[in-house]
Amino acid sequence: MMLEPALLAPVLSQPSLPLDNPAGIESSADELAQVRSRLEHEDLTVLAYRFAGDSFCRAERFAAYQSALGDRFIGRVLPDTAANTGPKPPFFEQFVKTPHSVVTVHLVDEAGQLTLAARDEILAFFQKRLKSVLPTIGHR
């Protein structure tokens, strides 16, 4: 999606695909080169989030993004202990055995929690990046 000019505030939250290649990225080398060029030319960054022990979005994937995008990739890794351990939807109970969804299922919606800080960082990132193109954002 980063090749779409309208995308100005890219955030990856636990990018999991391809499932069969922990270091894989769902983009060709040419596409990644174009993305990196765009990030540099337009002074954009990509925020990314994952839990340290996530079995679907592993450290290898973040390393691959870091290698492909350089300092334009800002990866945030939260400790597994920051994840919500309360009841989860049936799919998560059955198939997702490690903390995974930083700002949804595993979000701890309480002041001082790392997942809430991640959510707030994402919202601030959106507001900052989109304010330049939508002057009224945040003033409603």
Side-chain angles (χ1 to χ4, degrees):
M1 290 192 308
M2 273 306 301
L3 298 179
E4 167 54 50
L7 186 62
L8 299 174
V11 174
L12 299 172
S13 194
Q14 69 278 340
S16 302
L17 298 176
L19 289 174
D20 61 346
N21 179 3
I25 298 177
E26 290 277 300
S27 299
S28 69
D30 181 57
E31 289 171 328
L32 288 170
Q34 290 177 54
V35 168
R36 187 169 183 161
S37 176
R38 177 170 183 230
L39 292 171
E40 291 172 3
H41 178 73
E42 297 180 36
D43 193 25
L44 300 173
T45 54
V46 175
L47 288 182
Y49 301 85
R50 64 179 290 275
F51 283 106
D54 189 340
S55 60
F56 296 103
C57 178
R58 297 188 2 207
E60 296 94 331
R61 176 135 319 115
F62 267 35
Y65 274 109
Q66 187 73 58
S67 177
L69 304 179
D71 63 358
R72 298 296 174 165
F73 177 81
I74 301 168
R76 304 273 195 247
V77 181
L78 283 67
D80 292 352
T81 56
N84 183 355
T85 58
K88 294 166 195 60
F91 178 84
F92 278 79
E93 289 290 352
Q94 184 173 0
F95 297 109
V96 184
K97 301 301 182 185
T98 60
H100 175 68
S101 298
V102 174
V103 295
T104 56
V105 172
H106 292 105
L107 172 77
V108 179
D109 193 4
E110 297 172 3
Q113 297 296 320
L114 293 175
T115 52
L116 189 64
R119 186 212 57 195
D120 291 347
E121 182 180 42
I122 292 167
L123 293 174
F125 179 69
F126 288 160
Q127 187 173 24
K128 177 183 174 190
R129 291 299 308 159
L130 299 177
K131 204 169 216 176
S132 64
V133 294
L134 300 171
T136 60
I137 197 165
H139 298 287
R140 291 184 181 182

